[in-house]
Amino acid sequence: MGKGAGCFPSKNRAPAVIESDPDPSPNPVSDDDDVSIPIETVNPTIGIRKLRIFIVFYSMYGHIESLARSIKEGVDEIDGVEGVLYRVPETLSFETLSAMKVPAKGDDIPEISAEELVEADGLLFGFPTRYGSMSAQMKAFFDSTGSLWREQKLAGVPAGFFVSTGTQGGGQETTAWTAITQLAHHGMLYVPIGYTFGAGMFKMDSIRGGSPYGAGVFSGDGTRKPSERELELAHHQGKYMALIVKRFQPDPQH
């Protein structure tokens, strides 16, 4: 699999047809001679892989997972780019999770290892807040990336965040803001969404998570579901990130 910007052919065209005579003769060939000259043909189709944005998240009660799926839908709408969902490993015991009534995770989304991050062309990390910063599960995952940091293997990779909080003042901005240090030490390029969502960023007629730092959702006591507007903002972040990642890639025609 490719790393970083990936590998692209310089020209998307078929190589020249090669004609050869495996048994050359010193005598000229007359028009009456029946000579078959083999022609080497080359398949002109040259495959170019899609750019991949890894959507790496931790979700306890499903709020972040809902945003992650909407983000993937947005990424996949951009031609030549695909979103890939991954979970980070759980750090709590089964007994603790059961006591907290945490629902079982589906097996359709695999866990990711730190080493796999280098295969992404862009990264979006999602996590719930813990006192205004990322959850312990996501922090433990970042702490496992030491070998990548040592060799700066993620330097230059565009990355962003999406978050969930229990209350309106619970860290929609600070949870993402305090996570920027992880990107800085790796040399990754932080990509906030700013106000590119347009009018949807200014509407005050309903409760909405999210900020210029990235998409967000309010989970309340855990029973509140993401609103339609929160999912729309996540979808927008996916499309926006896909366009940014495409802009960072070299033009295969040049």
Side-chain angles (χ1 to χ4, degrees), residues 230-252:
E230 287 170 333
L231 294 175
E232 288 173 352
L233 179 56
H235 185 275
H236 168 76
Q237 184 171 11
K239 290 181 64 175
Y240 182 73
M241 188 64 167
L243 291 171
I244 292 295
V245 168
K246 284 191 72 173
R247 185 178 299 177
F248 270 79
Q249 305 309 310
D251 187 342

Side-chain angles (χ1 to χ4, degrees), residues 166-209:
T167 62
Q168 294 186 62
Q172 286 286 315
E173 292 190 347
T174 60
T175 305
W177 177 56
T178 53
I180 294 174
T181 58
Q182 311 296 318
L183 307 188
H185 283 263
H186 278 283
M188 288 186 274
L189 306 178
Y190 175 48
V191 182
I193 59 174
Y195 283 84
T196 58
F197 190 47
M201 295 289 287
F202 298 93
K203 291 181 179 180
M204 302 288 289
D205 56 339
S206 64
I207 295 176
R208 174 190 60 78

Side-chain angles (χ1 to χ4, degrees), residues 151-164:
E151 298 182 37
Q152 288 293 283
K153 288 190 174 182
L154 298 177
V157 177
F161 304 117
F162 55 104
V163 305
S164 72

Side-chain angles (χ1 to χ4, degrees), residues 58-76:
Y58 175 76
S59 186
M60 180 170 281
Y61 293 104
H63 298 83
I64 284 293
E65 181 174 336
S66 294
L67 293 188
R69 292 183 183 275
S70 289
I71 287 174
K72 173 175 167 53
E73 291 176 359
V75 171
D76 291 346

